[in-house]
Amino acid sequence: MFATASRRVFQNAASASACSNNFTAFFPVRCMSSIPSTMKAAVVREVGDAHALKVETDFPTPELKAGGVIVKNQFAGINFIDTYHRKGLYPRDLPFIGGQEGGGTVAAVSDEAAAQGIKVGDPVAYSVFGSYAQYTAVPAAKLLPVPEGVGLDVATSCVVQGLTAHYLTSSAHADLIKEGEWCLIHGVGGGTCQWAAQMAKLRGFKVIGTCSKGKADIGESLGCDELIVLDEVPGTSYEDYESVDIVSRVMEVTDGKADIGE
């Protein structure tokens, strides 16, 4: 079982009303009778600190688009990258609903999505913008069906960080790492690299992980073959990569066989 990622999910309450006419005006759809015309959402109208994210109770419910579905959210993943959007570091058109990871049940289905076998009530997870809300419009191609026996909270927490870790350990290295060879994964105390360290082990790699002293207990729980614990930058929880000669330590652990790039 994977260790719980260092992140949070929050549960959205659902409200009931009549199905919005916006959905049926342009596309023949299949939908629950409880989709309201407005919804509760955490909205950014001006970029800034955490106070810029405000809960609104009458934000327009998204319209169903051809080839898509409407998901009634039960959970939304909270990821560090969300703060970049909220602060304006990664600019987005204002106003916008925060979040880019969610999970829930399909509440409305376009004809195109229905032709793919997607049905109202299907449990799904996804990664698209606008998940800090009761409802999110999601292209059918972006849906991840949730298998029976997997909780929606677990499925939601897997999407952004889990899929990132998966491609980093399975394809991003272009098969340059083989089973039984060493890999170095920084920040294994954080969310994505907790996943990555465990996935790398499942693929048969030998893993050297780094983490800060404050997250050493997390790092030690992941099964790394070697863990390099770093001091923290004063006043933060971030690793101080100058506190340990990592290159020398890696060369020592690997008997000088590590391929250290410039």
Side-chain angles (χ1 to χ4, degrees):
M1 178 67 67
F2 287 121
T4 302
S6 59
R7 48 205 298 272
R8 298 175 293 146
V9 293
F10 69 82
Q11 191 166 12
N12 289 299
S15 61
S17 182
C19 187
S20 170
N21 290 331
N22 291 335
F23 297 145
T24 57
F26 300 102
F27 302 106
V29 301
R30 301 155 177 83
C31 69
M32 291 180 174
S33 61
S34 58
I35 300 178
S37 59
T38 60
M39 63 179 181
K40 185 184 292 185
V43 182
V44 175
R45 294 191 177 274
E46 294 184 3
V47 297
D49 62 15
H51 295 91
L53 190 66
K54 299 184 183 300
V55 175
E56 299 184 8
T57 59
D58 58 353
F59 199 87
T61 304
E63 295 185 357
L64 182 67
K65 297 180 180 179
V69 306
I70 300 295
V71 175
K72 182 179 183 180
N73 293 316
Q74 293 185 27
F75 295 91
I78 299 177
N79 293 281
F80 191 77
I81 194 173
D82 299 345
T83 66
Y84 291 175
H85 298 144
R86 188 224 329 127
K87 291 187 290 189
L89 183 62
Y90 290 176
R92 292 178 56 186
D93 293 337
L94 296 170
F96 66 84
I97 298 172
Q100 59 176 1
E101 177 181 59
T105 55
V106 174
V109 185
S110 66
D111 279 355
E112 295 83 357
Q116 299 177 41
I118 301 169
K119 304 181 298 298
V120 167
D122 284 349
V124 294
Y126 63 86
S127 177
V128 302
F129 288 148
S131 63
Y132 290 4
Q134 289 178 293
Y135 296 90
T136 303
V138 184
K142 297 283 189 178
L143 292 176
L144 300 171
V146 177
E148 185 177 352
V150 176
L152 277 169
D153 55 344
V154 174
T156 302
S157 71
C158 292
V159 180
V160 171
Q161 295 180 1
L163 292 181
T164 299
H166 184 270
Y167 87 75
L168 289 174
T169 55
S170 62
S171 58
H173 54 75
D175 213 26
L176 294 176
I177 305 175
K178 306 295 184 182
E179 186 175 346
E181 294 183 342
W182 288 98
C183 67
L184 171 65
I185 302 178
H186 286 296
V188 296
T192 298
C193 290
Q194 283 187 53
W195 290 98
Q198 294 170 92
M199 290 180 181
K201 289 296 296 179
L202 288 173
R203 296 185 67 83
F205 305 153
K206 292 189 288 188
V207 176
I208 302 171
T210 71
C211 68
S212 65
K213 286 182 176 178
K215 296 182 178 179
D217 58 335
I218 298 173
E220 291 167 355
S221 72
L222 304 175
C224 295
D225 297 277
E226 187 71 26
L227 184 66
I228 301 174
V229 179
L230 309 173
D231 291 338
E232 296 174 349
V233 175
T236 77
S237 60
Y238 303 140
E239 297 93 333
D240 180 358
Y241 287 99
E242 295 183 353
S243 65
V244 174
D245 187 339
I246 295 176
V247 172
S248 295
R249 186 76 185 97
V250 168
M251 296 301 287
E252 177 186 349
V253 170
T254 61
D255 295 324
K257 298 177 182 178
D259 181 12
I260 307 294
E262 294 295 331

